[in-house]
Amino acid sequence: MTARTGPTQGRAGRLRLQYRLDTALRGAELLERKLHTLLGRVQVFEQREAAARREWTRLLAEAETRLLRGLLLSGEQALVQATPAARAEVTVEWSTAMGLRHPTGAVCVPAQRSADEPTPRNTALLQAERAYREALRAGAELAAARVAARLISAEANRTRQRVRALRRHWIPLLTRQLAATELALEQAEREDNVRRRWAAQGGGVPGPDGSR
């Protein structure tokens, strides 16, 4: 990577480099804290995803079993007649944490049957309807948790890359430049001290090669 540090010579350059190095070190520490928090959130939502997937799979299998029993008892026409005209509604809840917007859950409102619509003809169809409602709820939670885990994981990867860039490239580069600047300043100060001693002894000011 190419670093733009501005002038790095002299005392002003040393102050500028020291400030940028301190800023980079603080930034790396903050990003590492953020990364730790993000990874914890990823784990939370992955656990939610796994739990919701297990529940969704179980409820869906139960619903399909009960639906099959209901169809065997009353036929497919009974299912058509018992299906409400309205549709279920799913609302995804969102939140923003550490500048990242992600789902936190989902709220399901099952389809409501109007007063003039027929109810399921047998208990199996009624139980299947309830199971499908619960499966829908679990499926919505599964989807929300999965999206949240993916979004937070992507942000964690971006944060990890920024930390790596700081720790492996930017901070070492600034450290080397600061060391070189301090060395040049020390050498210049030593040369200046030598010239001052020569001048104080009445020997004139020596040149770069030590001659007068």
Side-chain angles (χ1 to χ4, degrees):
M1 61 182 294
T2 301
R4 297 182 179 181
T5 58
T8 60
Q9 302 301 317
R11 291 179 174 82
R14 177 174 61 184
L15 291 175
R16 184 179 296 105
L17 285 169
Q18 187 64 61
Y19 173 78
R20 294 190 176 184
L21 177 58
D22 292 342
T23 301
L25 288 169
R26 288 194 300 270
E29 291 175 0
L30 291 174
L31 287 172
E32 285 168 345
R33 293 178 189 174
K34 177 182 178 180
L35 178 60
H36 178 74
T37 302
L38 287 171
L39 292 176
R41 295 290 289 171
V42 170
Q43 184 177 11
V44 168
F45 280 105
E46 285 181 343
Q47 290 174 350
R48 289 187 187 178
E49 178 184 355
R53 186 182 301 279
R54 289 192 297 268
E55 186 177 12
W56 175 74
T57 302
R58 178 182 63 80
L59 290 170
L60 187 60
E62 178 183 345
E64 290 176 345
T65 299
R66 296 186 182 279
L67 176 60
L68 180 59
R69 293 176 182 173
L71 293 177
L72 291 175
L73 290 173
S74 303
E76 293 185 4
Q77 188 61 30
L79 175 62
V80 175
Q81 293 175 352
T83 302
R87 292 292 180 265
E89 296 181 1
V90 177
T91 302
V92 179
E93 298 175 327
W94 293 79
S95 179
T96 301
M98 292 173 290
L100 177 66
R101 190 168 183 264
H102 60 84
T104 56
V107 176
C108 295
V109 178
Q112 299 298 319
R113 182 178 286 105
S114 63
D116 57 346
E117 289 182 312
T119 58
R121 291 185 182 180
N122 57 63
T123 303
L125 286 178
L126 182 61
Q127 292 174 341
E129 181 179 81
R130 293 172 181 171
Y132 274 116
R133 287 180 177 178
E134 290 300 311
L136 174 62
R137 177 191 55 77
E141 287 290 341
L142 168 61
R146 182 176 183 180
V147 171
R150 301 303 182 272
L151 290 175
I152 299 175
S153 179
E155 180 65 16
N157 288 334
R158 288 190 292 267
T159 302
R160 185 182 291 107
Q161 291 173 358
R162 293 173 65 188
V163 171
R164 185 180 295 115
L166 284 170
R167 292 295 188 189
R168 296 185 179 180
H169 301 286
W170 184 246
I171 290 175
L173 176 60
L174 289 173
T175 301
R176 290 194 300 270
Q177 290 182 338
L178 179 59
T181 300
E182 289 179 340
L183 181 62
L185 284 172
E186 291 176 1
Q187 183 176 354
E189 289 176 358
R190 285 196 300 268
E191 293 175 354
D192 186 61
N193 289 334
V194 171
R195 292 190 183 98
R196 289 177 183 275
R197 286 197 299 270
W198 276 87
Q201 295 171 3
V205 180
D209 59 351
S211 63
R212 290 177 290 173

